[in-house]
Coordinates of all heavy atoms in Angstrom, one line a residue:
M1 N 90.4 121.6 25.4 CA 89.0 121.9 25.6 C 88.5 123.0 24.6 O 87.5 122.9 24.0 CB 88.8 122.3 27.0 CG 87.3 122.5 27.4 SD 86.5 121.0 27.3 CE 85.1 121.3 28.2
K2 N 89.4 124.0 24.4 CA 89.0 125.1 23.5 C 88.9 124.5 22.0 O 88.0 124.9 21.3 CB 90.0 126.2 23.5 CG 89.9 127.1 24.7 CD 90.9 128.2 24.7 CE 90.8 129.1 25.9 NZ 91.7 130.2 25.9
L3 N 89.8 123.6 21.7 CA 89.8 123.0 20.4 C 88.5 122.2 20.2 O 87.8 122.3 19.1 CB 91.0 122.1 20.2 CG 91.0 121.3 18.8 CD1 91.1 122.4 17.7 CD2 92.2 120.4 18.8
K4 N 88.0 121.5 21.2 CA 86.8 120.7 21.0 C 85.6 121.7 20.8 O 84.7 121.4 20.0 CB 86.6 119.8 22.3 CG 87.5 118.6 22.3 CD 87.1 117.8 23.6 CE 88.1 116.6 23.7 NZ 87.8 115.8 24.9
A5 N 85.6 122.7 21.6 CA 84.5 123.7 21.5 C 84.5 124.3 20.1 O 83.4 124.5 19.5 CB 84.6 124.8 22.5
G6 N 85.7 124.6 19.5 CA 85.8 125.2 18.2 C 85.3 124.3 17.1 O 84.6 124.6 16.2
V7 N 85.7 123.0 17.3 CA 85.3 122.0 16.3 C 83.8 121.8 16.3 O 83.1 121.7 15.3 CB 86.0 120.7 16.5 CG1 85.4 119.5 15.7 CG2 87.5 120.8 16.3
L8 N 83.2 121.8 17.5 CA 81.8 121.6 17.7 C 81.0 122.8 17.1 O 80.1 122.6 16.3 CB 81.4 121.5 19.2 CG 79.9 121.3 19.5 CD1 79.4 120.0 18.8 CD2 79.7 121.2 21.0
A9 N 81.5 124.0 17.3 CA 80.8 125.2 16.7 C 80.9 125.1 15.2 O 79.9 125.5 14.5 CB 81.5 126.4 17.3
A10 N 82.0 124.7 14.6 CA 82.2 124.6 13.2 C 81.2 123.6 12.6 O 80.6 123.8 11.6 CB 83.6 124.3 12.8
L11 N 81.1 122.5 13.3 CA 80.2 121.4 12.8 C 78.8 121.9 12.8 O 78.0 121.6 11.9 CB 80.4 120.1 13.6 CG 81.7 119.4 13.4 CD1 81.8 118.2 14.4 CD2 81.7 118.8 11.9
M12 N 78.4 122.6 13.9 CA 77.0 123.1 14.0 C 76.7 124.1 12.8 O 75.7 124.1 12.3 CB 76.8 123.7 15.3 CG 76.7 122.7 16.5 SD 76.6 123.4 18.1 CE 75.1 124.3 18.0
L13 N 77.7 125.0 12.5 CA 77.5 125.9 11.5 C 77.4 125.2 10.1 O 76.5 125.5 9.4 CB 78.7 126.9 11.4 CG 78.7 127.9 10.3 CD1 77.5 128.8 10.5 CD2 80.0 128.8 10.3
V14 N 78.2 124.3 9.8 CA 78.2 123.5 8.6 C 76.8 122.8 8.5 O 76.2 122.8 7.5 CB 79.4 122.6 8.4 CG1 79.2 121.6 7.3 CG2 80.6 123.4 8.3
G15 N 76.4 122.2 9.6 CA 75.1 121.5 9.6 C 74.0 122.4 9.3 O 73.1 122.0 8.6
N16 N 74.0 123.6 9.8 CA 72.9 124.5 9.6 C 72.8 124.9 8.1 O 71.8 125.2 7.6 CB 73.0 125.7 10.5 CG 72.5 125.4 11.9 OD1 71.8 124.5 12.1 ND2 73.0 126.2 12.8
L17 N 74.0 125.1 7.5 CA 74.0 125.5 6.1 C 73.5 124.4 5.2 O 73.0 124.7 4.1 CB 75.5 125.9 5.7 CG 76.1 127.1 6.4 CD1 77.5 127.2 6.0 CD2 75.3 128.3 6.1
A18 N 73.6 123.2 5.6 CA 73.2 122.1 4.7 C 71.7 121.7 4.8 O 71.3 120.9 4.1 CB 74.1 120.9 5.0
L19 N 71.0 122.3 5.7 CA 69.6 121.9 6.0 C 68.7 122.4 4.9 O 68.7 123.5 4.5 CB 69.1 122.5 7.3 CG 69.7 121.9 8.5 CD1 69.2 122.6 9.8 CD2 69.5 120.4 8.6
A20 N 67.9 121.5 4.5 CA 66.8 121.9 3.5 C 65.9 120.6 3.4 O 66.5 119.5 3.3 CB 67.3 122.3 2.2
A21 N 64.6 120.8 3.4 CA 63.7 119.6 3.3 C 62.6 120.1 2.4 O 62.1 121.2 2.5 CB 63.2 119.2 4.6
P22 N 62.1 119.2 1.5 CA 60.9 119.6 0.7 C 59.7 119.6 1.6 O 59.6 119.0 2.6 CB 60.9 118.4 -0.3 CG 61.5 117.3 0.4 CD 62.6 117.9 1.3
G23 N 58.7 120.4 1.1 CA 57.5 120.5 1.8 C 56.4 120.9 0.9 O 56.6 121.2 -0.3
L24 N 55.1 120.9 1.4 CA 54.0 121.2 0.6 C 53.1 122.1 1.4 O 52.7 121.9 2.5 CB 53.2 119.9 0.3 CG 52.0 120.0 -0.7 CD1 52.4 120.4 -2.1 CD2 51.2 118.7 -0.7
A25 N 52.7 123.3 0.7 CA 51.8 124.2 1.4 C 50.4 123.7 1.6 O 49.8 123.2 0.6 CB 51.8 125.5 0.6
L26 N 49.9 123.7 2.8 CA 48.6 123.2 3.1 C 47.5 124.2 2.9 O 46.3 123.9 2.9 CB 48.6 122.6 4.5 CG 49.5 121.5 4.7 CD1 49.5 121.0 6.2 CD2 49.2 120.3 3.8
K27 N 47.9 125.5 2.9 CA 46.9 126.6 2.7 C 47.6 127.8 2.2 O 48.8 127.9 2.2 CB 46.2 126.9 4.0 CG 47.1 127.4 5.1 CD 46.3 127.7 6.4 CE 47.1 128.4 7.4 NZ 46.3 128.9 8.5
D28 N 46.8 128.8 1.7 CA 47.3 130.1 1.3 C 47.7 130.8 2.5 O 47.0 130.9 3.5 CB 46.2 130.9 0.6 CG 45.8 130.3 -0.7 OD1 46.5 129.4 -1.2 OD2 44.8 130.7 -1.3
E29 N 48.9 131.4 2.5 CA 49.4 132.2 3.7 C 50.5 133.2 3.2 O 51.3 132.9 2.3 CB 49.9 131.2 4.7 CG 50.3 132.0 6.0 CD 50.5 131.0 7.2 OE1 49.9 130.0 7.3 OE2 51.4 131.3 8.0
N30 N 50.5 134.3 3.9 CA 51.6 135.3 3.6 C 52.9 134.7 4.2 O 52.9 134.1 5.3 CB 51.3 136.6 4.3 CG 50.3 137.4 3.5 OD1 50.2 137.3 2.3 ND2 49.5 138.2 4.2
M31 N 54.0 134.9 3.5 CA 55.3 134.6 4.1 C 55.8 135.9 4.7 O 55.8 137.0 4.1 CB 56.2 134.2 2.9 CG 55.8 132.9 2.3 SD 56.6 132.5 0.7 CE 58.3 132.6 1.1
L32 N 56.3 135.8 5.9 CA 56.7 137.0 6.7 C 58.2 137.1 6.8 O 58.9 136.2 6.7 CB 56.1 136.9 8.1 CG 54.5 136.6 8.2 CD1 54.1 136.4 9.6 CD2 53.8 137.7 7.5
A33 N 58.6 138.4 7.0 CA 60.0 138.7 7.1 C 60.7 138.1 8.3 O 61.8 137.7 8.3 CB 60.2 140.2 7.1
K34 N 59.9 137.9 9.4 CA 60.4 137.3 10.7 C 59.4 136.3 11.2 O 58.3 136.3 10.8 CB 60.7 138.4 11.7 CG 61.7 139.4 11.3 CD 61.9 140.4 12.4 CE 63.0 141.5 12.0 NZ 63.2 142.5 13.1
S35 N 59.8 135.5 12.1 CA 59.0 134.5 12.7 C 58.1 135.2 13.8 O 58.2 134.9 15.0 CB 59.8 133.4 13.3 OG 60.7 133.8 14.3
D36 N 57.3 136.1 13.4 CA 56.4 136.9 14.2 C 55.2 137.4 13.4 O 55.3 137.9 12.3 CB 57.2 138.2 14.7 CG 56.5 139.1 15.6 OD1 55.2 139.0 15.7 OD2 57.1 140.0 16.1
A37 N 54.0 137.1 14.0 CA 52.8 137.4 13.3 C 52.6 138.9 12.9 O 51.9 139.3 11.9 CB 51.6 137.0 14.1
A38 N 53.3 139.8 13.6 CA 53.3 141.2 13.3 C 54.3 141.7 12.3 O 54.3 142.8 11.9 CB 53.5 142.0 14.6
S39 N 55.1 140.7 11.8 CA 56.1 141.0 10.8 C 55.5 141.3 9.4 O 54.5 140.7 9.1 CB 57.1 139.9 10.7 OG 58.2 140.1 9.9
P40 N 56.1 142.2 8.6 CA 55.5 142.5 7.3 C 55.7 141.3 6.3 O 56.6 140.5 6.4 CB 56.3 143.6 6.8 CG 57.6 143.6 7.5 CD 57.3 143.0 8.9
P41 N 54.7 141.1 5.4 CA 54.8 140.0 4.4 C 55.9 140.3 3.4 O 56.1 141.4 3.1 CB 53.4 140.0 3.8 CG 52.8 141.3 4.1 CD 53.4 141.8 5.3
V42 N 56.5 139.2 3.0 CA 57.6 139.3 1.9 C 57.2 138.5 0.7 O 58.0 138.5 -0.3 CB 59.0 138.9 2.5 CG1 59.4 139.9 3.6 CG2 58.9 137.5 3.0
G43 N 56.1 137.8 0.8 CA 55.7 136.9 -0.3 C 54.4 136.2 0.0 O 53.9 136.4 1.1
K44 N 54.0 135.3 -0.9 CA 52.7 134.6 -0.7 C 53.0 133.1 -1.0 O 53.6 132.8 -2.0 CB 51.7 135.2 -1.6 CG 50.3 134.5 -1.5 CD 49.5 135.1 -0.4 CE 48.1 134.6 -0.4 NZ 47.4 134.9 0.8
M45 N 52.5 132.3 -0.1 CA 52.5 130.8 -0.3 C 51.1 130.4 -0.7 O 50.2 130.8 0.0 CB 53.0 130.2 0.9 CG 53.0 128.7 0.9 SD 53.5 127.9 2.5 CE 52.0 128.1 3.5
T46 N 50.9 129.6 -1.7 CA 49.6 129.2 -2.1 C 49.4 127.7 -1.8 O 50.4 126.9 -2.0 CB 49.2 129.5 -3.5 OG1 50.2 128.9 -4.4 CG2 49.2 131.0 -3.8
K47 N 48.2 127.3 -1.5 CA 47.9 125.9 -1.2 C 48.4 125.0 -2.4 O 48.1 125.3 -3.5 CB 46.4 125.7 -1.0 CG 46.0 124.3 -0.6 CD 44.5 124.2 -0.3 CE 44.2 122.8 0.0 NZ 42.7 122.7 0.4
G48 N 49.1 123.9 -2.0 CA 49.5 123.0 -3.0 C 50.9 123.3 -3.6 O 51.5 122.5 -4.3
M49 N 51.5 124.5 -3.2 CA 52.8 124.9 -3.7 C 53.9 124.1 -3.1 O 53.9 123.8 -1.9 CB 53.0 126.4 -3.4 CG 54.3 127.0 -3.8 SD 54.5 128.7 -3.2 CE 53.9 129.5 -4.7
A50 N 54.8 123.7 -3.9 CA 56.0 123.0 -3.4 C 56.9 124.1 -2.7 O 57.1 125.1 -3.3 CB 56.8 122.3 -4.5
V51 N 57.4 123.8 -1.5 CA 58.3 124.7 -0.8 C 59.5 124.0 -0.4 O 59.6 122.7 -0.3 CB 57.6 125.4 0.4 CG1 56.3 126.1 -0.1 CG2 57.2 124.4 1.5
E52 N 60.5 124.7 0.0 CA 61.8 124.2 0.6 C 61.8 124.7 2.0 O 61.8 125.9 2.3 CB 63.0 124.6 -0.2 CG 64.3 124.0 0.3 CD 65.5 124.5 -0.5 OE1 65.3 125.0 -1.6 OE2 66.6 124.3 0.0
I53 N 61.8 123.8 3.0 CA 62.0 124.2 4.4 C 63.4 124.4 4.7 O 64.3 123.5 4.6 CB 61.4 123.1 5.3 CG1 59.9 122.8 5.0 CG2 61.5 123.5 6.8 CD1 59.3 121.6 5.6
V54 N 63.7 125.6 5.1 CA 65.1 126.0 5.4 C 65.5 125.9 6.9 O 66.6 125.5 7.2 CB 65.3 127.5 4.9 CG1 66.7 127.9 5.1 CG2 65.0 127.6 3.4
A55 N 64.5 126.3 7.8 CA 64.8 126.4 9.2 C 63.5 126.3 10.0 O 62.4 126.5 9.4 CB 65.5 127.7 9.6
K56 N 63.6 125.9 11.2 CA 62.5 125.9 12.2 C 62.8 126.7 13.4 O 64.0 126.6 13.9 CB 62.2 124.4 12.6 CG 61.0 124.3 13.5 CD 60.8 122.9 13.9 CE 59.6 122.8 14.9 NZ 59.8 123.5 16.2
Q57 N 61.9 127.5 13.9 CA 62.1 128.3 15.1 C 60.7 128.3 15.8 O 59.8 128.9 15.4 CB 62.6 129.7 14.7 CG 62.9 130.5 15.9 CD 63.4 131.9 15.5 OE1 62.9 132.5 14.6 NE2 64.4 132.4 16.2
G58 N 60.7 127.6 16.9 CA 59.4 127.5 17.6 C 58.3 126.9 16.8 O 58.5 125.9 16.1
G59 N 57.2 127.6 16.6 CA 56.1 127.2 15.8 C 56.1 127.7 14.4 O 55.1 127.8 13.7
W60 N 57.3 128.1 14.0 CA 57.5 128.7 12.6 C 58.5 128.0 11.8 O 59.4 127.4 12.3 CB 58.0 130.2 12.8 CG 57.0 131.1 13.5 CD1 56.9 131.3 14.8 CD2 56.1 131.9 12.9 NE1 55.9 132.2 15.1 CE2 55.4 132.6 13.9 CE3 55.7 132.2 11.5 CZ2 54.4 133.5 13.6 CZ3 54.7 133.1 11.3 CH2 54.0 133.7 12.3
L61 N 58.2 128.0 10.5 CA 59.2 127.4 9.5 C 59.6 128.5 8.6 O 58.8 129.3 8.1 CB 58.5 126.3 8.7 CG 58.2 125.0 9.4 CD1 57.4 124.1 8.4 CD2 59.4 124.3 9.9
Q62 N 60.9 128.6 8.3 CA 61.4 129.5 7.3 C 61.5 128.6 6.0 O 62.0 127.5 6.0 CB 62.8 130.0 7.6 CG 63.3 131.0 6.6 CD 64.7 131.5 6.9 OE1 65.5 130.8 7.4 NE2 64.9 132.8 6.6
I63 N 60.8 129.2 4.9 CA 60.7 128.4 3.7 C 61.1 129.3 2.5 O 61.2 130.5 2.6 CB 59.3 127.9 3.4 CG1 58.3 129.1 3.3 CG2 58.8 127.0 4.5 CD1 57.0 128.8 2.7
K64 N 61.5 128.6 1.4 CA 61.6 129.2 0.1 C 60.5 128.7 -0.7 O 60.2 127.5 -0.8 CB 63.0 128.8 -0.5 CG 64.2 129.4 0.1 CD 65.4 128.9 -0.6 CE 66.7 129.4 0.1 NZ 67.9 129.0 -0.6
A65 N 59.8 129.6 -1.4 CA 58.7 129.3 -2.3 C 58.7 130.2 -3.4 O 58.7 131.4 -3.3 CB 57.4 129.4 -1.5
G66 N 58.9 129.7 -4.6 CA 59.0 130.5 -5.8 C 60.3 131.3 -5.7 O 61.4 130.8 -5.3
K67 N 60.2 132.7 -5.8 CA 61.3 133.5 -5.7 C 61.5 134.2 -4.3 O 62.3 135.0 -4.1 CB 61.3 134.6 -6.8 CG 61.3 134.1 -8.2 CD 61.2 135.2 -9.2 CE 61.3 134.6 -10.6 NZ 61.2 135.6 -11.7
S68 N 60.6 133.8 -3.4 CA 60.5 134.4 -2.1 C 61.0 133.5 -1.0 O 61.0 132.3 -1.1 CB 59.1 134.8 -1.7 OG 58.6 135.8 -2.7
Q69 N 61.5 134.1 0.1 CA 61.9 133.3 1.3 C 61.3 134.1 2.5 O 61.5 135.3 2.6 CB 63.4 133.2 1.4 CG 63.8 132.4 2.6 CD 65.3 132.1 2.6 OE1 65.9 131.8 1.6 NE2 65.9 132.0 3.8
G70 N 60.7 133.3 3.4 CA 60.1 134.0 4.5 C 59.6 132.9 5.5 O 59.9 131.7 5.4
W71 N 58.9 133.4 6.5 CA 58.4 132.6 7.6 C 56.9 132.3 7.6 O 56.2 133.3 7.3 CB 58.8 133.2 9.0 CG 60.3 133.3 9.2 CD1 61.1 134.3 8.8 CD2 61.0 132.3 9.9 NE1 62.4 134.0 9.2 CE2 62.4 132.8 9.9 CE3 60.8 131.1 10.5 CZ2 63.4 132.1 10.5 CZ3 61.8 130.4 11.1 CH2 63.1 130.9 11.1
V72 N 56.5 131.1 7.8 CA 55.1 130.7 7.9 C 54.9 129.9 9.1 O 55.9 129.3 9.7 CB 54.6 130.0 6.6 CG1 54.7 130.9 5.4 CG2 55.4 128.7 6.4
R73 N 53.7 129.8 9.6 CA 53.4 128.9 10.7 C 53.6 127.5 10.4 O 53.4 127.0 9.3 CB 51.9 129.1 11.2 CG 51.7 130.5 11.7 CD 50.3 130.7 12.2 NE 50.0 132.1 12.5 CZ 50.3 132.7 13.7 NH1 50.9 132.1 14.6 NH2 50.0 134.0 13.8
L74 N 54.1 126.8 11.4 CA 54.5 125.3 11.2 C 53.4 124.5 10.7 O 53.7 123.6 9.8 CB 55.0 124.8 12.6 CG 55.3 123.3 12.7 CD1 56.6 123.1 12.0 CD2 55.4 122.9 14.2
L75 N 52.2 124.7 11.1 CA 51.1 123.8 10.7 C 50.6 124.2 9.3 O 49.6 123.5 8.8 CB 49.9 123.9 11.7 CG 50.3 123.3 13.1 CD1 49.2 123.5 14.0 CD2 50.7 121.9 13.0
S76 N 51.2 125.2 8.6 CA 50.7 125.5 7.3 C 51.5 124.8 6.2 O 51.2 124.9 5.0 CB 51.0 127.0 7.0 OG 50.2 127.8 7.9
V77 N 52.5 123.9 6.6 CA 53.3 123.2 5.6 C 53.4 121.8 6.1 O 53.6 121.5 7.3 CB 54.7 123.8 5.6 CG1 55.7 123.0 4.7 CG2 54.7 125.2 5.1
R78 N 53.3 120.8 5.1 CA 53.5 119.4 5.4 C 54.9 119.1 4.9 O 55.2 119.4 3.7 CB 52.5 118.5 4.7 CG 52.8 117.0 4.9 CD 51.9 116.1 4.0 NE 50.6 116.3 4.4 CZ 49.6 116.3 3.5 NH1 49.8 116.1 2.2 NH2 48.3 116.5 3.9
A79 N 55.8 118.6 5.7 CA 57.1 118.2 5.3 C 57.0 117.0 4.4 O 56.2 116.2 4.6 CB 58.0 117.9 6.5
G80 N 57.9 117.0 3.4 CA 57.9 115.9 2.5 C 57.2 116.3 1.2 O 56.8 117.5 1.0
T81 N 57.1 115.4 0.2 CA 56.5 115.7 -1.1 C 55.1 115.2 -1.2 O 54.6 115.1 -2.4 CB 57.4 115.2 -2.2 OG1 57.6 113.8 -2.0 CG2 58.8 115.8 -2.2
G82 N 54.5 114.9 -0.2 CA 53.1 114.3 -0.2 C 53.1 112.8 0.0 O 54.1 112.3 0.5
G83 N 52.1 112.1 -0.5 CA 52.1 110.7 -0.3 C 51.6 110.3 1.0 O 50.9 111.0 1.7
G84 N 51.9 109.0 1.4 CA 51.3 108.5 2.6 C 52.1 108.8 3.9 O 51.6 108.4 5.0
S85 N 53.2 109.4 3.9 CA 53.9 109.7 5.0 C 53.2 110.8 5.9 O 52.5 111.6 5.4 CB 55.3 110.3 4.6 OG 56.0 110.8 5.7
D86 N 53.5 110.8 7.2 CA 52.9 111.8 8.1 C 53.7 113.1 7.9 O 53.2 114.1 8.5 CB 52.9 111.3 9.5 CG 54.3 111.1 10.1 OD1 55.3 111.4 9.5 OD2 54.3 110.6 11.3
G87 N 54.8 113.1 7.2 CA 55.5 114.4 7.0 C 56.4 114.9 8.1 O 57.0 115.9 8.0
L88 N 56.4 114.2 9.2 CA 57.2 114.7 10.3 C 58.7 114.4 10.2 O 59.5 115.1 10.9 CB 56.7 114.1 11.6 CG 55.2 114.4 11.9 CD1 54.8 113.6 13.2 CD2 55.0 115.9 12.1
T89 N 59.1 113.5 9.4 CA 60.5 113.2 9.3 C 61.3 114.4 8.8 O 62.4 114.7 9.4 CB 60.8 112.0 8.4 OG1 60.0 110.9 8.9 CG2 62.2 111.6 8.4
G90 N 60.9 115.0 7.8 CA 61.6 116.2 7.2 C 61.7 117.3 8.2 O 62.7 117.9 8.4
V91 N 60.6 117.6 8.9 CA 60.6 118.7 9.9 C 61.5 118.3 11.0 O 62.3 119.2 11.5 CB 59.2 119.0 10.4 CG1 59.2 120.0 11.5 CG2 58.4 119.6 9.3
A92 N 61.5 117.1 11.5 CA 62.4 116.7 12.6 C 63.9 116.8 12.2 O 64.7 117.2 13.0 CB 62.1 115.2 12.9
G93 N 64.2 116.5 10.9 CA 65.5 116.7 10.4 C 66.0 118.2 10.5 O 67.1 118.5 10.8
V94 N 65.1 119.1 10.1 CA 65.4 120.5 10.1 C 65.5 121.0 11.5 O 66.3 121.7 11.9 CB 64.3 121.3 9.3 CG1 64.5 122.8 9.5 CG2 64.4 121.0 7.9
A95 N 64.6 120.5 12.4 CA 64.5 121.0 13.8 C 65.7 120.4 14.6 O 66.0 121.0 15.6 CB 63.2 120.5 14.4
G96 N 66.2 119.3 14.2 CA 67.2 118.6 15.0 C 68.6 119.3 14.9 O 69.5 118.9 15.6
A97 N 68.8 120.3 14.1 CA 70.1 120.9 14.0 C 70.4 121.9 15.1 O 69.6 122.4 15.7 CB 70.2 121.7 12.6

């Protein structure tokens, strides 16, 4: 039983390290140090900017944009690279880990 728990924990860790999905900024927004509106800004995301979605926590996405990495509200980013998709597949992949 301990072995199964250890293997499961290792797989979860490896899965989290491999997550990343492309996204598109839907509006200008500060990128925050934590997934909290009171957190200090660490960068700026501008409308139309390509971003990389790193993680999801509640209504927040952790993204990489330019040289910065921080947290923005979930509805400020469309998962995917644009086009006709609703963009939910990429976020679901990040959220499913």
